[in-house]
Amino acid sequence: MAEQEQQQAAEPLSEEQRQELEAQWVRQSFQKANAYLASKGILPQGVRQSDSRVLAPLVAVWRIKAKESNKVSDFWVITGNLPADHLPHSTAASAREALRHFALNWQMQAENILRGPGRNDKVQVDFANLLIGRAEGLYKIYDEPGLWQQEA
């Protein structure tokens, strides 16, 4: 039986299987964005899909309408193979600009950790290094014009 499972695992996915896995990743990423906002006391009320961008299975940038302190606002929320984070929609005019903003913020956050009191804490240093790596990856995505043609 294990041999049959290995053989199936080695077979390439059909287009239908690939699309289903991507759709599942998108759903999970969106759920993660909503849960992240809720953990910050921000109540998600909907997504503006036309402004959101997904590059499964790496990153998704969601423009989410949400309620915070009795005020409805839009936020950019980033999820994927990286820490979830958010910023007010007014900070960036597009998902691409939001990616650049997250990348720069994470570089500064990592720098603060590595120069601050957390520099001797292995967990903090590992987190800073993760932020640096993800920030560099985000900036490469931001800087790739072919990924952003529909925003031009």
Side-chain angles (χ1 to χ4, degrees):
M1 184 83 161
E3 191 175 314
Q4 183 181 12
E5 288 173 0
Q6 285 178 339
Q7 193 174 29
Q8 285 176 342
E11 293 175 18
L13 296 173
S14 70
E15 183 62 19
E16 185 178 309
Q17 290 170 319
R18 189 194 62 72
Q19 287 177 353
E20 177 53 37
L21 283 174
E22 185 174 314
Q24 182 180 8
W25 186 90
V26 170
R27 282 189 302 274
Q28 289 172 342
S29 180
F30 181 62
Q31 290 169 349
K32 183 177 177 182
N34 284 320
Y36 169 81
L37 282 179
S39 76
K40 301 295 181 186
I42 302 169
L43 303 174
Q45 302 209 324
V47 64
R48 299 189 192 278
Q49 284 191 294
S50 63
D51 293 335
S52 300
R53 297 292 179 265
V54 176
L55 186 58
L58 300 174
V59 64
V61 181
W62 304 99
R63 182 174 171 192
I64 296 179
K65 179 180 173 184
K67 189 173 186 180
E68 177 186 38
S69 303
N70 296 324
K71 178 179 149 196
V72 176
S73 303
D74 280 14
F75 294 89
W76 293 111
V77 182
I78 190 168
T79 56
N81 188 15
L82 40 73
D85 202 352
H86 76 290
L87 54 98
H89 173 260
S90 60
T91 306
S94 68
R96 183 180 190 187
E97 288 300 317
L99 268 186
R100 185 172 73 85
H101 190 83
F102 284 121
L104 296 174
N105 272 356
W106 291 357
Q107 288 281 7
M108 289 188 303
Q109 186 178 352
E111 185 69 22
N112 289 338
I113 291 170
L114 295 174
R115 289 179 180 237
R119 68 181 174 270
N120 296 320
D121 180 341
K122 181 179 176 356
V123 173
Q124 289 292 311
V125 169
D126 288 348
F127 182 65
N129 288 326
L130 172 78
L131 286 176
I132 291 167
R134 295 307 191 263
E136 289 171 354
L138 287 182
Y139 198 85
K140 286 178 185 175
I141 293 169
Y142 160 81
D143 204 32
E144 180 57 50
L147 295 174
W148 305 99
Q149 291 175 352
Q150 63 190 48
E151 283 196 353

